[in-house]
Amino acid sequence: MMRIHTTVLLVLAIALGGCQTLSDRNNVLSRSGEAIKTQAQKLADLAANMTGDPQAEARHAEVEALFDQAYIDPLTRYLNNHTDDPDYRDYLPVVRAERDSRCRAIAYRYNSQPATRDSLQRLEAGYAFSCPEVVNEFAKRVPASAASDEHTAAAGSPAARSPGASNTGNTAQTGSSAQAQECYLLFAIKNYQQAESICRTAANAGDAKARHHLATISNSNGNQTEALRWARLAADQGQANGQLLLAELLKPQAPEEAFGWLQKAAAQQLPEAHYQLAQAYQQGQGTAADPGRAESQLRQAAAAGYLPAMLALGIDKNGTAAGRYWLEQAAERGSAEAQYRLGLDYLRGTGGPEDPQTAYVWLSLSLVNGEQRGKRYLEQLSGQLDGTQLAAARNQIQRRLNSR
């Protein structure tokens, strides 16, 4: 049965004000009890209608995972993917209400922030896909002269006058300089040899992202001292990937400090940080072991599209509809192990109805991707399926391979 999470209901406290009421805080909060009650009832009604159908259970697992994670875009993608699917019609209003409530929470948060071009750019970068009304409403508050004013202020700042000055503040600054942009590009294409000197220039100027990149390059070169120094500078500026890298570097000698940095990175909704936190809770690294929190973090990482977390949930929940769902998510993203396990799931009917033809498809794809364990099962299925089924399965395999 789908759980009604406290955090979800708290977010729903902000659900009743439209995106157009960014300044109407009292009205938003005054009707929070009504919003929580309505949404809770919808979820309870859906749970009460469960009939033991494995496919229905899988749909519940999907919605539960969406509600467990803190991102907005997965909700929007769910709505886009299933708009015309009658099997999902009962879930669409609930997911849409959750998506809209999260957008309103973002609107409420940005209402208290200065109406600057920088704030608008951050809002656009994070929420334009799912909350365009919020972005448009905030944009109306930004004065037309804001961009030129901010450019003038930046040009007159000490950092702008001194390109070599180091920024040791706590703001995750990223530069628009030519060096910073070239650093980002070279790092993205993994040209570390050329990136190193260019990223160093941007890092010395205080660019947090360049500092993370330089830490990664230093780590790949085996220079742990330099890696730790640059990762800490990036992390202290609030750069999420820098915080994650610092946690990884600290884990062998200082697991408790590493755990603290993981928490900071996860608070910025970095999927890999959620996954690493799950491992820490599962294994008791830097904190007391807590299987419940481990699963919660794993779900958040998986719902954000992090493949290792999807595979881990599929394995942990083997033999259930939720397990099959997460194996499918990982298999669709090309995990050979997930494809192999999903093929066995369909072959044996452990997480839902048996389907030898679908088993043949996934086991074949796992073999193409280098997973050899499924070969003997494919031989078994080749003798079990008739000619029509084999032809259909092979067509499916070919379509999937062609769509890569």
Side-chain angles (χ1 to χ4, degrees):
M1 179 180 294
M2 184 187 300
R3 298 191 302 275
I4 302 172
H5 299 282
T6 303
T7 53
V8 172
L9 297 182
L10 287 175
V11 172
L12 289 170
I14 312 172
L16 297 183
C19 293
Q20 70 278 10
T21 59
L22 296 179
S23 62
D24 193 2
R25 301 184 185 185
N26 291 332
N27 184 53
V28 170
L29 296 175
S30 66
R31 297 187 290 172
S32 61
E34 179 184 346
I36 291 173
K37 181 178 179 181
T38 301
Q39 187 71 347
Q41 186 59 54
K42 289 179 181 177
L43 294 175
D45 290 345
L46 283 174
N49 290 330
M50 293 288 288
T51 61
D53 175 13
Q55 296 302 319
E57 291 177 2
R59 288 191 288 273
H60 262 291
E62 187 175 4
V63 174
E64 182 181 45
L66 282 174
F67 277 52
D68 269 339
Q69 55 87 42
Y71 295 91
I72 301 178
D73 286 355
L75 300 169
T76 302
R77 283 193 288 270
Y78 176 97
L79 293 169
N80 292 343
N81 291 339
H82 300 302
T83 296
D84 299 321
D85 191 335
D87 289 336
Y88 288 82
R89 64 178 179 272
D90 293 334
Y91 296 92
L92 294 176
V94 180
V95 175
R96 186 175 294 108
E98 174 65 10
R99 191 272 308 274
D100 292 347
S101 73
R102 294 189 187 191
C103 286
R104 288 164 186 150
I106 296 302
Y108 179 79
R109 190 178 84 197
Y110 269 81
N111 185 53
S112 63
Q113 296 192 15
T116 64
R117 179 63 56 184
D118 282 347
S119 294
L120 177 59
Q121 288 176 343
R122 288 196 301 272
L123 182 62
E124 288 176 332
Y127 304 104
F129 176 63
S130 293
C131 312
E133 296 88 353
V134 174
V135 174
N136 292 338
E137 190 65 26
F138 188 86
K140 294 177 184 177
R141 296 173 49 209
V142 179
S145 61
S148 59
D149 291 345
E150 288 167 19
H151 176 76
T152 302
S157 69
R161 291 193 302 267
S162 305
S166 176
N167 180 357
T168 57
N170 292 323
T171 302
Q173 297 185 2
T174 54
S176 58
S177 69
Q179 291 95 339
Q181 295 302 318
E182 191 171 0
C183 164
Y184 304 162
L185 174 61
L186 291 170
F187 183 85
I189 63 175
K190 298 188 183 299
N191 187 345
Y192 290 172
Q193 185 174 0
Q194 285 189 312
E196 185 171 7
S197 62
I198 296 169
C199 288
R200 190 177 300 278
T201 300
N204 281 328
D207 187 276
K209 189 173 180 179
R211 288 174 167 179
H212 161 261
H213 291 354
L214 190 55
T216 301
I217 294 169
S218 299
N219 190 44
S220 70
N221 291 337
N223 191 337
Q224 296 295 302
T225 301
E226 278 287 283
L228 192 61
R229 181 169 81 88
W230 288 113
R232 191 175 290 280
L233 285 171
D236 284 341
Q237 287 179 260
Q239 214 273 344
N241 285 304
Q243 293 169 341
L244 177 61
L245 178 57
L246 181 59
E248 292 172 354
L249 294 171
L250 289 171
K251 186 164 61 174
Q253 280 78 38
E256 291 184 358
E257 184 182 357
F259 179 80
W261 285 112
L262 279 179
Q263 288 182 307
K264 290 178 184 292
Q268 298 196 60
Q269 308 308 333
L270 197 63
E272 187 176 354
H274 284 299
Y275 178 74
Q276 295 291 346
L277 262 187
Q279 302 302 304
Y281 279 123
Q282 188 67 43
Q283 300 165 16
Q285 292 180 340
T287 187
D290 190 329
R293 289 185 175 179
E295 181 172 341
S296 175
Q297 293 295 326
L298 201 59
R299 282 180 174 276
Q300 291 186 63
Y306 192 62
L307 194 153
M310 295 175 174
L311 178 59
L313 278 174
I315 294 172
D316 289 348
K317 298 187 174 298
N318 180 47
T320 68
R324 177 179 284 189
Y325 167 76
W326 286 117
L327 285 177
E328 279 189 305
Q329 296 301 303
E332 291 283 1
R333 287 163 175 79
S335 167
E337 183 174 359
Q339 291 166 346
Y340 165 71
R341 290 177 176 273
L342 183 60
L344 290 186
D345 187 281
Y346 276 110
L347 177 63
R348 297 167 177 168
T350 51
E354 291 183 13
D355 188 334
Q357 183 175 314
T358 302
Y360 185 92
V361 171
W362 286 114
L363 288 169
S364 297
L365 289 170
S366 75
L367 187 63
V368 170
N369 288 327
E371 174 55 72
Q372 299 295 317
R373 288 176 292 175
K375 187 179 296 185
R376 65 189 181 98
Y377 298 107
L378 282 171
E379 293 172 356
Q380 170 190 329
L381 285 165
S382 294
Q384 180 179 342
L385 298 173
D386 62 32
T388 302
Q389 291 173 315
L390 281 172
R394 288 166 182 160
N395 283 336
Q396 283 185 268
I397 294 165
Q398 194 60 54
R399 283 198 301 272
R400 287 183 175 276
L401 293 175
N402 290 341
S403 66
R404 285 180 172 181

